[in-house]
Amino acid sequence: MARYIFITGGVVSSLGKGLMAASLAALLQARGYKVRIRKFDPYLNVDPGTMSPYQHGEVYVTDDGAETDLDLGHYERFTGVSARQSDNITSGRVYRDIIAKERRGDYLGATVQVIPHVTDAIKEFALADQSDHDFILCEIGGTVGDIESLPFMEAIRQLRNELEPMQTLSVHVTLVPYIAAAGELKTKPTQHSVRELASLGIKPDVLLCRAEHPIPDSERRKIANFCNVRHEAVIPALDAPSIYSVPLQYHREGLDAEVLRGFGITDAPEPELSGWADVTDRYFNPEGEVTIGVVGKYVGLPDAYKSLNEALVHGGLANRVKVNIKWIDAEIFEEKDESEIVSALEPMHGILVPGGFGERGSEGKISSVRFARQRNVPFFGICLGMQMACVEGAREAGFNDASSTEFGKTHEPVVGIISEWMSEEGIQQRVEGGDLGGTMRLGAYEAKLTTDSNTSQMYGGADTISERHRHRYEVNAAYIEPLERQGLVFAGMSPDGLLPEIVERPDHPWFVGVQFHPELKSRPFDPHPLFAGFIAAALEQSRLV
Ligand code: GLN
């Protein structure tokens, strides 16, 4: 029987509920339990796929091709459990499905209402698609009191009545602010938030109190008294020096023990935390450092490249080095002359051009590829970055107008829209000008590698790999031959041999472009081989300069 942990947030947003959920799941997992984490997003988009990374951070893609909230990335990185479409739901998806059913006449003339139709759909989602899980953690996006999240709160309230008495637990994440002028921590916002939650029929069992200053025992007792929870269930959650210290920190504060106690479990095995100890040891005690320049478009908001940022850190963990990331706006290179590009990129030990959409900044990305190629600086191109590496190679091969049809009409479409590809559901076809939402090649697809390629070596000599994709354009196979003559090797292709997946330059210290997103599958315990390889090459580079 799966037990449910509902995680809500109060007082303000950005308290790190996702990280908290991921950490709690990791701690339960470390005690031998099988966990799954789900995210309920109250907004009306059907999925975050069409939202700007500036609005909502990165779109995290699952193996089964769902475009989901970036919190699912935290969940995967902390637990190693691959998320699925059935782990992320939005109000938009719920309403879309209900309205489609209503149009089909499935409700047989009934009035369709928030309660019970919307709440039933939310409950169904919470209970669906699980096997022998011990714990299902459900994180509700937003803050208690938001109009949008009301149906989700109501669904939780109902579920807490419908499931067994000890089968659910409510964890509320709040803020205990420090008022410098008074020199005091304030518990009132937490009291109000718990009262708001209680007015919706949900009594929290555990309070996780985010704070910048230690919470004295007297304040813990006060919170316990006013909020109707046990003193031990008021868990202080002080700001952590790194996200990787959070699970160990919450364990020391007793979070997992208190959650288990809430379920009446007193004989749980002690958690096996040596993996986390190793990760924090590597993170806090590096034996060197490298600087990587990431030349992209959404550099103003680090969350827009969340998984990439983490995968670079993991590459550092694998090599026991600190990775300094310099976020460089590709667009600024378009206004600057060559010497300024050189002075911006020269200090970098590695250059990475990440995924992205649209023409803005593309010439700056192409200039960065050229710099890395000519100067023998390790280069990693991901998705759009790989496409730009091919456009750069084509221009070098004499195709001066080489470009991508994503940026407008071109005589040399080195990158063009994918019109057809094979998926598990059969042939997928796309036409120019179709819907933008849900029309990409999404999720895990296999690639066949040339086994004597550098990339295959990094994957331990593998001839087949599976990686996650999110793209609408592809490198045009008609240009493979001239590009290979120019020095790019197509080291990985889709199994049908049609879609280029990996390019590399054997005459360069480390130059790899991939059509997929390896950053989505990197974990602190299991750094992705391409990121480990890229950082190792950057470390070599740092010794040369
Ligand atoms: N815009 C490119 C495409 O759709 C690249 C996508 C990406 O980098 N994720 O193919």
Side-chain angles (χ1 to χ4, degrees), residues 30-320:
R31 290 181 184 259
Y33 295 110
K34 190 166 173 197
V35 297
R36 182 142 217 109
I37 323 180
R38 299 198 149 149
K39 178 81 193 277
F40 299 61
D41 278 315
Y43 51 71
L44 286 175
N45 300 62
V46 171
D47 61 41
T50 52
M51 283 160 108
S52 159
Y54 267 132
Q55 285 264 323
H56 196 68
E58 90 177 353
V59 175
Y60 190 77
V61 180
T62 59
D63 277 332
D64 61 0
E67 297 181 280
T68 66
D69 188 82
L70 60 80
D71 275 327
L72 274 80
H74 285 311
Y75 305 164
E76 278 205 18
R77 284 188 285 275
F78 273 42
T79 62
V81 177
S82 293
R84 304 184 198 144
Q85 171 76 72
S86 54
D87 292 326
N88 191 198
I89 197 165
T90 67
S91 293
R93 183 178 289 274
V94 171
Y95 278 96
R96 185 194 65 179
D97 295 351
I98 288 176
I99 290 169
K101 272 193 186 170
E102 187 271 335
R103 294 288 82 187
R104 280 201 306 267
D106 290 2
Y107 293 110
L108 305 174
T111 308
V112 183
Q113 295 180 296
V114 172
I115 305 172
H117 299 100
V118 171
T119 45
D120 279 357
I122 295 170
K123 287 193 288 181
E124 249 171 59
F125 165 75
L127 302 176
D129 192 22
Q130 44 167 298
S131 39
D132 50 345
H133 294 96
D134 298 302
F135 291 100
I136 311 264
L137 291 86
C138 301
E139 179 196 346
I140 321 300
T143 307
V144 169
D146 293 348
I147 290 178
E148 286 180 333
S149 61
L150 287 175
F152 291 93
M153 299 298 173
E154 172 60 14
I156 294 176
R157 185 193 68 74
Q158 293 179 15
L159 270 179
R160 301 229 319 151
N161 276 334
E162 288 164 20
L163 297 172
E164 297 298 317
M166 296 286 261
Q167 202 185 346
T168 68
L169 188 100
S170 157
V171 177
H172 190 53
V173 186
T174 77
L175 178 71
V176 179
Y178 179 76
I179 305 297
E184 279 178 20
L185 285 168
K186 291 293 175 191
T187 64
K188 195 74 86 191
T190 298
Q191 297 176 37
H192 282 305
S193 185
V194 169
R195 190 173 308 157
E196 179 83 33
L197 192 61
S199 75
L200 301 172
I202 303 170
K203 177 200 169 307
D205 301 297
V206 174
L207 291 177
L208 190 76
C209 302
R210 294 294 315 276
E212 285 175 49
H213 290 263
I215 304 178
D217 201 50
S218 56
E219 298 307 290
R220 259 180 101 176
R221 283 189 191 284
K222 189 166 158 190
I223 294 172
N225 264 336
F226 278 101
C227 299
N228 196 18
V229 295
R230 279 159 42 86
H231 165 231
E232 295 81 1
V234 178
I235 311 280
L238 264 64
D239 289 354
S242 147
I243 59 168
Y244 297 108
S245 3
V246 172
L248 293 177
Q249 183 179 324
Y250 285 2
H251 174 64
R252 279 195 299 274
E253 296 291 358
L255 175 65
D256 45 327
E258 192 54 32
V259 163
L260 289 169
R261 201 200 147 276
F263 285 112
I265 302 173
T266 47
D267 57 351
E270 277 305 300
E272 165 40 34
L273 294 170
S274 58
W276 282 103
D278 180 49
V279 165
T280 45
D281 178 52
R282 283 169 181 268
Y283 184 85
F284 288 110
N285 303 300
E287 286 163 7
E289 59 185 295
V290 295
T291 303
I292 303 296
V294 178
V295 185
K297 182 159 117 180
Y298 318 105
V299 291
L301 180 75
D303 268 1
Y305 296 113
K306 187 76 202 154
S307 296
L308 179 70
N309 183 80
E310 295 308 315
L312 284 166
V313 173
H314 304 163
L317 297 177
N319 291 282
R320 249 194 196 277

Side-chain angles (χ1 to χ4, degrees), residues 195-513:
R195 190 173 308 157
E196 179 83 33
L197 192 61
S199 75
L200 301 172
I202 303 170
K203 177 200 169 307
D205 301 297
V206 174
L207 291 177
L208 190 76
C209 302
R210 294 294 315 276
E212 285 175 49
H213 290 263
I215 304 178
D217 201 50
S218 56
E219 298 307 290
R220 259 180 101 176
R221 283 189 191 284
K222 189 166 158 190
I223 294 172
N225 264 336
F226 278 101
C227 299
N228 196 18
V229 295
R230 279 159 42 86
H231 165 231
E232 295 81 1
V234 178
I235 311 280
L238 264 64
D239 289 354
S242 147
I243 59 168
Y244 297 108
S245 3
V246 172
L248 293 177
Q249 183 179 324
Y250 285 2
H251 174 64
R252 279 195 299 274
E253 296 291 358
L255 175 65
D256 45 327
E258 192 54 32
V259 163
L260 289 169
R261 201 200 147 276
F263 285 112
I265 302 173
T266 47
D267 57 351
E270 277 305 300
E272 165 40 34
L273 294 170
S274 58
W276 282 103
D278 180 49
V279 165
T280 45
D281 178 52
R282 283 169 181 268
Y283 184 85
F284 288 110
N285 303 300
E287 286 163 7
E289 59 185 295
V290 295
T291 303
I292 303 296
V294 178
V295 185
K297 182 159 117 180
Y298 318 105
V299 291
L301 180 75
D303 268 1
Y305 296 113
K306 187 76 202 154
S307 296
L308 179 70
N309 183 80
E310 295 308 315
L312 284 166
V313 173
H314 304 163
L317 297 177
N319 291 282
R320 249 194 196 277
V321 291
K322 177 166 187 272
V323 178
N324 303 309
I325 304 175
K326 286 268 177 292
W327 302 99
I328 301 169
D329 183 353
E331 245 182 314
I332 60 168
F333 286 168
E334 297 179 357
E335 294 148 18
K336 290 183 172 177
D337 64 33
E338 194 71 17
S339 68
E340 287 186 80
I341 298 180
V342 170
S343 63
L345 293 183
E346 220 159 33
M348 303 300 146
H349 305 129
I351 294 171
L352 192 151
V353 178
F357 292 84
E359 183 176 16
R360 204 150 52 79
S362 56
E363 288 303 322
K365 294 174 192 173
I366 293 169
S367 303
S368 312
V369 178
R370 182 172 311 116
F371 178 90
R373 176 175 60 77
Q374 291 177 338
R375 299 288 197 102
N376 282 331
V377 180
F379 171 80
F380 199 178
I382 294 180
C383 206
L384 185 65
M386 176 260 204
Q387 297 173 356
M388 294 305 95
C390 292
V391 168
E392 197 278 329
R395 289 190 187 170
E396 182 66 12
F399 299 98
N400 297 334
D401 291 333
S403 186
S404 165
T405 59
E406 182 175 3
F407 313 150
K409 288 225 176 314
T410 165
H411 294 302
E412 302 291 357
V414 173
V415 179
I417 195 145
I418 330 177
S419 51
E420 243 182 53
W421 72 91
M422 273 312 271
S423 79
E424 275 171 18
E425 289 95 48
I427 289 189
Q428 300 282 312
Q429 289 176 319
R430 292 293 174 264
V431 287
E432 201 107 30
D435 271 2
L436 283 189
T439 58
M440 282 188 277
R441 181 172 179 249
L442 284 168
Y445 283 90
E446 284 190 345
K448 294 270 176 231
L449 308 189
T450 316
T451 41
D452 60 357
S453 61
N454 294 334
T455 315
S456 169
Q457 293 314 307
M458 278 183 277
Y459 277 101
D463 59 0
T464 307
I465 55 164
S466 170
E467 291 282 3
R468 295 185 195 166
H469 296 70
R470 181 173 186 247
H471 65 127
R472 195 174 279 123
Y473 296 84
E474 59 165 323
V475 175
N476 184 343
Y479 288 86
I480 291 180
E481 224 184 274
L483 283 170
E484 291 218 303
R485 257 184 277 129
Q486 195 278 323
L488 266 179
V489 166
F490 285 74
M493 298 291 287
S494 57
D496 57 10
L498 295 179
L499 302 183
E501 291 275 11
I502 302 171
V503 293
E504 60 178 51
R505 286 188 180 276
D507 61 351
H508 186 284
W510 206 95
F511 189 107
V512 176

